[in-house]
Amino acid sequence: MLRAFRAHPLLLGILLGALLPGSLMSQPAEQPPTNAEVFATLATECLGDVPDRAPDGSAFVLVPSETMPYVQSALIAHWQAEDRTVYLSGAAGTPEGTLPSLLYTTSPLLSYKRKRRKHVERRFELTVHHTLTALDGNILSDAVCTNTYNDRVRRDALPELEATSYSETQATPPPAGWLRRYAEPIVNTAAAGIGVCLFFTLRSDSDES
């Protein structure tokens, strides 16, 4: 019969840390923005002040984009918060031909790069081409803007940050490192085995007391 022993508090803490990596021992991190939110922010930084280049940018017609509808929604919300009136071209009630018009296209790029252990680096690049046209057909502004953004997030958070409906918000995760693929499962299994053994040992020790 195995001899009972009392576990040292430090050993118990180490085992609990290994078995419960997501426990209250770790502080909750701030939720990072979703991939769609990052692209929307980059687009707003590119196009937010474009209406100011018209003689009267308080009202204009926006030509709907065929891609990234969440970007269009974010842009409209931004402009409306600045007390601008935004009409969608082709929509009922839009005063076509009486206001400047804004047309834009987007080219998004997203990639992931492996960082330390359970984290990956998100790399965003958004290129936006816009054309602002006056009532008489003159081009008031025609330019290309490219914005980038990088951050680091947990690998297991990627599914929550992507949007399955929009392919540009998805990318192939980098392969896990050697430690995570091979050594970490072995360590976790060993820690679990020690934890089970410790549980029964403590129980036996308690019964004998």
Side-chain angles (χ1 to χ4, degrees):
M1 179 175 178
L2 292 175
R3 177 186 246 176
F5 67 95
R6 295 184 182 277
H8 192 281
L10 178 59
L11 174 60
L12 183 58
I14 294 174
L15 289 173
L16 288 175
L19 293 172
L20 302 174
S23 66
L24 295 178
M25 298 176 65
S26 59
Q27 296 295 326
E30 183 180 353
Q31 180 68 19
T34 66
N35 295 350
E37 289 172 339
V38 172
F39 278 131
T41 299
L42 296 179
T44 302
E45 291 175 355
C46 279
L47 298 173
D49 63 349
V50 170
D52 291 333
R53 303 171 194 179
D56 181 7
S58 62
F60 61 95
V61 175
L62 178 65
V63 180
S65 174
E66 297 181 355
T67 61
M68 306 178 78
Y70 52 88
V71 166
Q72 177 175 290
S73 298
L75 288 169
I76 292 176
H78 171 80
W79 288 320
Q80 289 179 338
E82 295 181 337
D83 293 328
R84 303 181 194 270
T85 302
V86 184
Y87 297 94
L88 287 179
S89 179
T94 296
E96 304 280 0
T98 63
L99 294 170
S101 64
L102 174 60
L103 168 69
Y104 73 90
T105 59
T106 55
S107 298
L109 290 174
L110 170 65
S111 63
Y112 300 136
K113 179 181 179 182
R114 184 169 66 87
K115 301 297 283 187
R116 291 177 299 178
R117 296 198 61 203
K118 301 178 181 180
H119 291 80
V120 299
E121 181 183 26
R122 296 188 297 177
R123 296 181 173 184
F124 298 85
E125 179 177 302
L126 183 67
T127 299
V128 182
H129 175 217
H130 79 266
T131 303
L132 181 65
T133 308
L135 295 178
D136 57 7
N138 288 330
I139 303 300
L140 300 173
S141 177
D142 186 274
V144 175
C145 167
T146 298
N147 272 347
T148 61
Y149 175 82
N150 297 344
D151 69 358
R152 190 179 70 173
V153 299
R154 289 183 58 87
R155 176 187 291 268
D156 56 14
L158 291 180
E160 300 176 3
L161 301 177
E162 298 179 337
T164 56
S165 301
Y166 306 112
S167 60
E168 69 275 3
T169 68
Q170 304 172 59
T172 302
W178 180 89
L179 178 65
R180 184 165 177 80
R181 284 183 291 174
Y182 302 109
E184 191 173 273
I186 295 175
V187 173
N188 289 341
T189 301
I194 295 174
V196 172
C197 179
L198 177 62
F199 170 78
F200 285 106
T201 300
L202 291 176
R203 182 176 179 182
S204 174
D205 188 38
S206 176
D207 292 341
E208 290 182 4
S209 300

